[in-house]
Amino acid sequence: MTLVDYPFPGLLQCEPYARAIVEGDAMGDATLLRRRLKLRKQRQEHVFRTGPARWVVLEEGVVNRPFGDADALRAQLLHVKRLLESNGKVTVQILPTGLGVSRPSASFTHLQFNLEGISDKVYMEHPAGATYYDEAEDVKRYQETFDRPAGYALDAELTTGILDKTLKTLG
């Protein structure tokens, strides 16, 4: 489960959108940029081939805020739409911006393994890398943080329509 306020999570990013984000984080380091883009692509291929289902709640503003130029956002919206139409393991819900619902101050992913001996973890990506939390009380707090806005998010069946509407405004 992923709760996102900005940008689209790495596993859902297309190459032009990911490049715009990673370029900002890499601060001109071309080697770091290539390495991070390659690792992101490999992770996506692995997760969508063998990984568990993905449930993502996006704050509505995410679909309207470009990284890079309008073409990168357009490519990103089309990419997510294709994922939703072709991959039954991906669910995306939109949390309307106008709702007066408390939101967390950062994006995160709750990883649930359902395997004996492997505890759930929370993953938070940031420009310097990523942080994992696996203490039971931390994971529980993040689960509760996800549950509240997820309960107010629009039905997943409405997501492609929202993406289409945004694509229309981009031209």
Side-chain angles (χ1 to χ4, degrees), residues 8 29 33 38 46 51-52 55 63 72 75 86 90 135 142 147 156 160:
F8 279 89
D29 185 335
L33 172 66
K38 180 180 176 183
H46 176 73
W55 176 18
V63 302
S86 66
V90 178
E135 296 294 323
Y142 279 100
D147 288 344
T160 55

Side-chain angles (χ1 to χ4, degrees), residues 99-158:
L99 291 179
V101 177
S102 296
R103 292 166 169 80
S105 59
S107 300
F108 62 90
T109 299
H110 178 190
L111 304 165
Q112 296 174 296
F113 296 101
N114 297 321
L115 297 170
E116 189 167 330
I118 299 180
S119 63
D120 289 0
K121 301 192 180 337
V122 170
Y123 167 82
M124 296 180 77
E125 191 174 321
H126 47 77
T131 303
Y132 289 88
Y133 299 94
D134 60 3
E135 296 294 323
E137 60 272 8
D138 292 333
V139 172
K140 182 178 186 274
R141 187 176 76 241
Y142 279 100
Q143 176 64 53
E144 291 168 353
T145 300
F146 179 87
D147 288 344
R148 179 168 171 73
Y152 289 95
L154 301 174
D155 289 337
E157 294 80 32
L158 300 174

Side-chain angles (χ1 to χ4, degrees), residues 67-119:
F67 266 94
D69 57 20
D71 289 337
L73 179 59
R74 187 177 300 103
Q76 178 60 35
L77 297 174
L78 288 168
H79 175 72
V80 171
K81 188 175 172 193
R82 280 191 297 273
L83 274 175
L84 294 173
E85 293 169 349
S86 66
N87 190 321
K89 293 176 17 175
V90 178
T91 301
V92 176
Q93 289 180 271
I94 306 292
L95 178 64
T97 303
L99 291 179
V101 177
S102 296
R103 292 166 169 80
S105 59
S107 300
F108 62 90
T109 299
H110 178 190
L111 304 165
Q112 296 174 296
F113 296 101
N114 297 321
L115 297 170
E116 189 167 330
I118 299 180
S119 63

Side-chain angles (χ1 to χ4, degrees), residues 9-104:
L11 285 174
L12 298 183
Q13 293 172 4
C14 68
E15 197 278 334
Y17 188 87
R19 175 174 292 280
I21 292 167
V22 175
E23 279 177 343
D25 291 346
M27 301 298 290
D29 185 335
T31 303
L32 179 60
L33 172 66
R34 283 190 302 275
R35 191 175 102 242
R36 285 193 176 174
L37 287 173
K38 180 180 176 183
L39 288 172
R40 184 160 296 188
K41 179 125 179 96
Q42 289 173 339
R43 188 169 44 247
Q44 288 173 340
E45 290 170 354
H46 176 73
V47 167
F48 288 121
R49 186 177 59 251
T50 63
R54 308 280 314 159
W55 176 18
V56 178
V57 175
L58 295 173
E59 197 275 325
E60 183 179 25
V62 172
V63 302
N64 294 302
R65 283 179 280 201
F67 266 94
D69 57 20
D71 289 337
L73 179 59
R74 187 177 300 103
Q76 178 60 35
L77 297 174
L78 288 168
H79 175 72
V80 171
K81 188 175 172 193
R82 280 191 297 273
L83 274 175
L84 294 173
E85 293 169 349
S86 66
N87 190 321
K89 293 176 17 175
V90 178
T91 301
V92 176
Q93 289 180 271
I94 306 292
L95 178 64
T97 303
L99 291 179
V101 177
S102 296
R103 292 166 169 80

